Amino acid sequence: MPEVVPPRTVVSQPKPPSKTREVLTSATLILFTALVGIACVIALASTLTQTRMSTLVIDGVPLSIWKLDDIRSQWTDIRDAIDDLSTEITEAEKQRTTIVGNEAAANQNFNAANTTLIIKIDELLFRLRGVDKALADKVEPRKEKADDHGVSPAQQYAQLSALREEAPKDRADLNSLFDELKAAYKEYADARGVRLQAIASREAMIQRIKGPTGCRERQPDLS
């Protein structure tokens, strides 16, 4: 009888994983491990930092991340306020320089006009005394110093203007001096108005700097 040969079973061998998959798997594991390590380091550092900061006390409150953030916010507000104040101070300094310069120029023009007015008054009084001494003596003497008894050049001009109708009309030299005195007083009055305006601007600037509760500076002599 012939021998029966059993059928042969063929077992297929599994395919080895591809090189690309191995690289991706290894990279993923390495990246995940690195992230976990970094997170652990950050957590440990935060814990140690918080533990050390808790030993510090500011305003009776232990120092913490939230306290530091609050301090940062306050410092930011203070820095912004300082920047705003610096800008305002710079602008105020520019205005002060302009106002002081205007006042200096106004004082110079006023002093020149005041000197011219005094010269014209003295010329007219000198000429008037030679014509009518009694009429000239009606004009009060001028106050040269603050503690002197007398009147200001503006008051002398007012007295002379009132006496013009009593002065001799046939004297052309007197009429000419009266006209020159009138022109000199007009320049004096204009210069005095500009000076008063400059002083008022300076006083207003001082009051803005002092604020509503600031004490008022002694008012200057505006005469």
Side-chain angles (χ1 to χ4, degrees), residues 71-87:
I71 294 175
R72 179 198 60 79
S73 177
Q74 293 179 10
W75 283 356
T76 300
D77 295 339
I78 293 174
R79 182 184 60 190
D80 294 340
I82 291 176
D83 291 340
D84 294 340
L85 287 175
S86 298
T87 302

Side-chain angles (χ1 to χ4, degrees), residues 149-167:
H149 296 286
V151 297
S152 65
Q155 291 172 312
Q156 282 187 315
Y157 166 77
Q159 294 174 1
L160 284 170
S161 297
L163 295 176
R164 183 170 187 175
E165 295 298 327
E166 302 179 29

Side-chain angles (χ1 to χ4, degrees), residues 92 95-96 99-100 103 198-220:
Q95 294 180 2
R96 186 192 69 83
I99 291 175
V100 170
E103 183 180 4
I199 293 176
S201 298
R202 174 172 56 82
E203 291 297 315
M205 181 189 66
I206 293 175
Q207 295 305 319
R208 286 199 304 270
I209 294 175
K210 289 182 177 180
T213 58
C215 57
R216 288 187 173 272
E217 190 180 70
R218 184 178 66 86
Q219 295 295 329

Side-chain angles (χ1 to χ4, degrees), residues 124-167:
L124 179 57
L125 286 176
F126 177 78
R127 192 68 57 86
L128 191 59
R129 284 191 181 95
V131 177
D132 191 339
K133 186 176 184 302
L135 187 63
D137 289 342
K138 292 182 179 181
V139 179
E140 298 181 52
R142 184 170 55 252
K143 179 171 60 176
E144 301 293 343
K145 298 180 181 179
D147 54 349
D148 288 348
H149 296 286
V151 297
S152 65
Q155 291 172 312
Q156 282 187 315
Y157 166 77
Q159 294 174 1
L160 284 170
S161 297
L163 295 176
R164 183 170 187 175
E165 295 298 327
E166 302 179 29

